[in-house]
Amino acid sequence: GRKPTSRTSNVEQKENRKQDDLNRFCKFTDRKQAGSSPEDKKTAIVQALDQLDKEDDISKDKKDLDTSFNNNSDDVNVELGEPEKDSVTAISPPATPQDKTPRVVKEVQISPEVMEVCYMHALSIETQEVMGLLIGSIKDDVVIIRSLMVGKRTTKEKSRVEIDDIELIAASELATSLKDEKDQVLQVVGWYHSHPHITVLPSRVDLRTQSGGQLMDKHFVGLIFSVFNKNKETLEEKTQIIAFQSGPQKEDGSFKLIQIPVKIEDTASMVNEAVFVSVYSAMADTWLKPAEEEYEEYQKHVNPAIDDKVAEMHNSALLTTRLTTIYRDIAEPAMRNLETKIRKLEVTLSSSSQSAPSNNSPGSSCVTSPAQGTSSTNQSSLISGHQTKP
């Protein structure tokens, strides 16, 4: 004996939505229907609804854009970058770009050491974006990234990140203290930031920030690391990387996206000891600077004029918990990774020294020169001694 009120209300709601959609485009339809036949009116209504569908498509979430971008394998060339081919994917520009905007930067070359630190920095925080500055050189419109500086954030948001001007000055000072293989001073050549759980493609804010960097140097580039993304079918996590610049500004105020090919250059950070050490010094900043941010946040709530022991104990306990989390999630895994690398290097040095032919004949003395006396054992002890520095 129940009345079918639900079916009737659903139909009425659907008709009301249609009417609302038509009202949104009343000016469009009135302009088309003035002095026209019923068929023309019908065509105008269909065009208005099609225009509404297009507007709804534009407002889709970034994840839908990411899915369509990844599934369009005919237009996008995907190159797997060393050393982790299964996890890191460099997104190359389309083979036949739709627009004819010329690229100022032909290619971005990045060392595997810088890639490793950027990758680790991006994976250090899952709920917020992180960023840093890229240091290197420019040769024949090719940007070579040799080192980096991890940035300390002024904002902690899920979809936005900013860096202090003091950090930019510090990065410039670090760059001028480093030189390449031709004894040329390095410079700040770009910036990078993470996109946790979202597409690798830059947002409008990213493109606007990038355009500001290009005002300082036309070769200034941006890198985005998309992390914590799982394949819905295999449930495997993967990281995508894109290099980009901002193109001409459009009529709506946004900027065009110019994608740049990314290439792993094994020797980019091997030019000298200072450049190589600066990369792994930046690795330490991936947990030191978050710790500084937490301590600064703690200091904001310290008021000597208020004697509240309970609040002070609570804030101190919270700071300790956050610092412990940083050590557990960032510092400890990084240290174990470095220990593994040191052991592999020790094995490599030991095997290479054993395979080297001996210059001493069976009847000759075993006295060696100071240079020859630096055996693999001594080299291993030097490397093991470096283990305690981080």
Side-chain angles (χ1 to χ4, degrees):
R2 289 184 298 178
K3 297 180 180 180
T5 55
S6 59
R7 177 180 294 274
T8 306
S9 62
N10 289 336
V11 173
E12 291 177 353
Q13 290 178 4
K14 188 174 181 180
E15 292 297 330
N16 291 336
R17 283 197 298 269
K18 281 187 177 181
Q19 187 62 39
D20 292 339
D21 293 340
L22 290 177
N23 291 337
R24 292 173 60 185
F25 291 92
C26 59
K27 294 182 180 180
F28 176 81
T29 55
D30 289 344
R31 186 171 62 252
K32 291 291 184 180
Q33 295 177 16
S36 57
S37 62
E39 287 296 329
D40 293 337
K41 292 180 181 181
K42 183 178 179 181
T43 303
I45 293 175
V46 172
Q47 291 177 354
L49 292 176
D50 290 342
Q51 187 172 345
L52 177 65
D53 292 337
K54 292 180 181 179
E55 183 181 277
D56 292 338
D57 291 339
I58 294 174
S59 61
K60 282 186 177 181
D61 191 73
K62 285 184 176 182
K63 293 182 180 179
D64 297 332
L65 179 61
D66 187 25
T67 303
S68 62
F69 179 80
N70 293 332
N71 293 336
N72 192 5
S73 58
D74 296 335
D75 296 335
V76 180
N77 299 324
V78 178
E79 297 179 358
L80 298 180
E82 297 291 338
E84 300 177 0
K85 291 186 177 181
D86 294 334
S87 58
V88 181
T89 304
I91 302 299
S92 298
T96 56
Q98 296 179 358
D99 59 347
K100 298 182 180 180
T101 305
R103 293 196 191 104
V104 177
V105 178
K106 298 178 181 178
E107 185 181 65
V108 172
Q109 298 180 3
I110 182 172
S111 72
E113 293 80 15
V114 174
M115 179 78 79
E116 177 188 6
V117 176
C118 291
Y119 186 30
M120 193 186 77
H121 189 204
L123 289 170
S124 63
I125 302 178
E126 183 176 359
T127 57
Q128 301 167 356
E129 292 187 1
V130 296
M131 73 171 297
L133 295 166
L134 304 170
I135 297 173
S137 55
I138 302 170
K139 181 179 179 182
D140 298 331
D141 293 332
V142 175
V143 175
I144 306 173
I145 301 173
R146 305 181 185 275
S147 185
L148 75 160
M149 194 193 81
V150 173
K152 186 166 66 175
R153 298 166 299 167
T154 58
T155 59
K156 297 180 182 180
E157 300 179 21
K158 182 179 180 180
S159 58
R160 183 181 178 184
V161 65
E162 293 181 0
I163 193 170
D164 194 352
D165 293 337
I166 299 177
E167 296 289 310
L168 182 59
I169 297 174
S172 300
E173 293 177 350
L174 174 61
T176 54
S177 66
L178 302 175
K179 296 182 180 181
D180 61 8
E181 68 275 10
K182 295 184 179 180
D183 207 31
Q184 299 292 326
V185 176
L186 302 185
Q187 65 184 80
V188 178
V189 295
W191 67 302
Y192 73 92
H193 71 287
S194 64
H195 273 189
H197 295 289
I198 59 175
T199 176
V200 72
L201 297 176
S203 64
R204 289 193 174 192
V205 177
D206 296 336
L207 291 172
R208 185 168 62 248
T209 303
Q210 173 62 31
S211 65
Q214 291 174 206
L215 294 177
M216 299 184 295
D217 188 342
K218 65 178 182 179
H219 294 96
F220 195 86
V221 298
L223 295 182
I224 296 179
F225 291 77
S226 176
V227 292
F228 300 107
N229 287 324
K230 287 187 178 181
N231 190 313
K232 295 181 179 180
E233 297 179 357
T234 62
L235 298 180
E236 294 181 353
E237 287 193 4
K238 64 177 181 178
T239 295
Q240 291 180 306
I241 305 165
I242 187 175
F244 70 98
Q245 279 195 315
S246 296
Q249 193 169 12
K250 302 178 183 178
E251 294 181 357
D252 60 356
S254 62
F255 292 87
K256 289 185 177 180
L257 168 63
I258 301 178
Q259 299 182 46
I260 305 172
V262 182
K263 177 184 177 183
I264 305 296
E265 181 57 45
D266 294 335
T267 61
S269 297
M270 298 288 188
V271 289
N272 52 57
E273 181 180 356
V275 173
F276 185 80
V277 170
S278 67
V279 178
Y280 285 99
S281 297
M283 176 182 287
D285 287 335
T286 58
W287 65 81
L288 291 178
K289 290 195 174 181
E292 291 178 8
E293 294 173 1
E294 294 296 343
Y295 186 74
E296 290 174 359
E297 185 68 22
Y298 166 76
Q299 290 289 0
K300 293 179 182 178
H301 301 277
V302 174
N303 190 354
I306 301 177
D307 187 15
D308 191 344
K309 296 299 182 182
V310 176
E312 181 180 352
M313 183 172 58
H314 170 78
N315 293 338
S316 299
L318 185 60
L319 174 63
T320 303
T321 302
R322 292 183 177 180
L323 293 179
T324 304
T325 303
I326 291 173
Y327 172 80
R328 181 195 64 194
D329 296 343
I330 307 176
E332 186 178 2
M335 295 299 297
R336 290 181 178 178
N337 182 41
L338 288 176
E339 289 176 356
T340 303
K341 287 189 173 184
I342 290 172
R343 293 193 188 99
K344 289 182 179 180
L345 184 56
E346 288 176 345
V347 172
T348 302
L349 291 174
S350 178
S351 60
S352 62
S353 62
Q354 291 177 2
S355 61
S358 176
N359 294 329
N360 297 328
S361 61
S364 62
S365 173
C366 293
V367 177
T368 58
S369 64
Q372 294 173 341
T374 309
S375 61
S376 62
T377 304
N378 292 333
Q379 290 176 352
S380 299
S381 63
L382 290 175
I383 296 173
S384 299
H386 181 69
Q387 182 176 343
T388 61
K389 285 187 178 181

